Amino acid sequence: MRTDVRQGPEIWIRGPVAGPALVGTGAVTDAERMPERPGGMPLTRRRFSWLATHGGAGTTTLAAVYGGHDCGRDWPGPDAPRSVLLVARTHSAGLEAVVRTLEVFRRGQAPAGLDLDAVVLVADAPGRLPRPLAQRVKPLESVIDVYRVPWVPAWRIGDLSGSPPRETEALARLTGAAGRRR
């Protein structure tokens, strides 16, 4: 196997791309963890507004665990972060609600200046998603990034201590909660 060939097109890689000396080594530099602005000043972590597409979606818990602003079912206010993460439960009504909210963004009817970053689907029950519901998630994944949060029994009783579930590592990286303990 040749090791001097780059794997895949760079256009599919998100975030900073390692230089040729680091490709394939697995080394992560400080510059990759926290890139700098052209003037040499470090970038601040992006903050998010958690926007519920229906009641009981879980925005309060997600904001407590991953950080960010809990908007509930209201659009982010003027002082809230403009980057939006839509939140829905994985039951039928939750999936319908997220599709309706995505349509609002698609039609340009969302408040000006909001940046829709992703959809976060929170498990409505322990275990695997039933096939009919999983089939309704696939079209969502084809138009926007979808992050899934598993059922966490401790969260149900209000215990938000500890690290985010390991299945949500990508979401934790996105929100800056990776490696953070509460």
Side-chain angles (χ1 to χ4, degrees):
M1 182 166 121
R2 292 180 54 181
T3 59
D4 61 334
V5 178
R6 292 188 83 109
Q7 299 295 316
E10 287 184 37
I11 62 170
W12 297 109
I13 300 174
R14 293 183 182 197
V17 178
L22 297 177
V23 172
T25 65
V28 178
T29 66
D30 288 336
E32 288 177 296
R33 285 192 193 97
M34 184 58 76
E36 290 188 1
R37 290 189 178 121
M41 295 179 60
L43 291 172
T44 57
R45 287 224 182 263
R46 191 167 187 186
R47 293 195 55 234
F48 293 92
S49 289
W50 299 92
L51 179 61
T53 60
H54 58 88
T59 57
T60 302
T61 299
L62 293 173
V65 172
Y66 296 95
H69 178 74
D70 175 15
C71 292
R73 293 185 63 196
D74 297 324
W75 293 111
D79 296 333
R82 307 314 283 168
S83 296
V84 174
L85 297 173
L86 293 182
V87 181
R89 292 285 178 170
T90 54
H91 50 60
S92 182
L95 295 175
E96 288 172 18
V98 79
V99 168
R100 281 193 308 271
T101 308
L102 285 171
E103 274 298 301
V104 168
F105 275 92
R106 187 186 69 77
R107 291 183 180 149
Q109 297 170 337
L114 293 183
D115 180 19
L116 178 58
D117 283 285
V119 168
V120 179
L121 296 178
V122 180
D124 66 312
R128 293 178 59 113
L129 198 58
R131 184 181 198 104
L133 296 176
Q135 289 173 335
R136 292 173 62 185
V137 172
K138 286 185 187 290
L140 294 175
E141 293 173 327
S142 71
V143 296
I144 192 165
D145 290 336
V146 175
Y147 296 90
R148 296 189 191 198
V149 177
W151 180 263
V152 181
W155 291 359
R156 189 170 191 209
I157 60 172
D159 180 8
L160 304 180
S161 63
S163 296
R166 67 178 164 78
E167 299 92 340
T168 65
E169 183 179 317
L171 179 61
R173 279 193 313 270
L174 175 72
T175 60
R180 185 179 81 185
R181 303 253 338 155
R182 288 174 306 286

